[in-house]
Amino acid sequence: YSDKQINLGAATSSWMVLDLDSRRPCKLDDLEIAAGSHISDDNALGEDAPLLKSAGGLEKVLDHNVQYSEIDHNGHVNNTRYIDWCYNSLPSDFHKENRFDTLTINYLSEVIDKETIAVARQEYENDKMHFEGSRQTNGKHVFRAEISWLARK
């Protein structure tokens, strides 16, 4: 909130736990940890983060070669980099004239060092864009995102 109590932004997220050996999701009941009160069903915005569906008919706009600096301590691409790829698929003039309003992203599969990710985009009439990233080697989707934009004043 601003000093005038204007809501400047809000966010929510949904998380999963991965087995570091199999790289597959785990059920919390299967884990040998005492999570206790650290696990909550609370939601910051009163709703779950939405699941995005594949849009189809997207135009490939970027091939991105994953760099070592994008890798986190778990050996996969840091989640903020997927958003960078969406932004980098747009010309700098677009960013000079627009700013993001809303962002939804679904992480579908981890990405590791030296992979190439194809980023595709579809533009909608209401200043919204749908993005999908997929592995160049097998076409498997690794993320989906929707970003809505506002004109800069």
Side-chain angles (χ1 to χ4, degrees):
Y1 285 94
S2 71
D3 57 354
K4 297 178 181 171
Q5 297 304 305
I6 297 171
N7 185 349
L8 300 176
T12 190
S13 62
S14 300
W15 294 79
M16 68 172 58
V17 177
L18 294 180
D19 179 300
L20 288 178
D21 294 324
S22 69
R23 310 305 265 190
R24 303 292 306 154
C26 304
K27 293 181 181 176
L28 292 177
D29 296 340
D30 296 342
L31 298 177
E32 295 179 13
I33 61 171
S37 63
H38 299 290
I39 299 173
S40 172
D41 290 331
D42 292 345
N43 190 300
L45 299 179
E47 60 186 67
D48 288 336
L51 294 176
L52 300 174
K53 296 190 182 339
S54 183
L58 283 78
E59 176 187 357
K60 182 176 164 184
V61 291
L62 177 71
D63 281 323
H64 179 77
N65 297 312
V66 173
Q67 304 296 308
Y68 179 76
S69 63
E70 297 175 299
I71 304 301
D72 65 18
H73 67 278
N74 290 317
H76 57 243
V77 170
N78 180 282
N79 61 345
T80 62
R81 297 307 182 134
Y82 295 74
I83 300 165
D84 290 343
W85 303 341
C86 295
Y87 270 58
N88 291 339
S89 76
L90 296 161
S92 56
D93 285 343
F94 177 86
H95 294 289
K96 291 175 185 173
E97 297 169 6
N98 300 278
R99 63 178 179 82
F100 97 95
D101 182 35
T102 64
L103 166 70
T104 301
I105 188 162
N106 296 162
Y107 303 100
L108 306 174
S109 179
E110 68 180 347
V111 176
I112 58 174
D113 190 21
K114 298 181 183 166
E115 287 192 290
T116 300
I117 303 301
V119 178
R121 179 179 70 231
Q122 182 175 20
E123 298 181 33
Y124 300 115
E125 293 176 13
N126 57 353
D127 299 321
K128 185 182 283 188
M129 294 179 185
H130 181 91
F131 298 85
E132 295 185 10
S134 56
R135 280 194 183 82
Q136 197 171 59
T137 55
N138 61 12
K140 181 177 179 178
H141 287 107
V142 296
F143 78 91
R144 291 189 185 108
E146 283 189 355
I147 304 175
S148 61
W149 305 92
L150 294 174
R152 293 185 186 271
K153 296 180 182 180

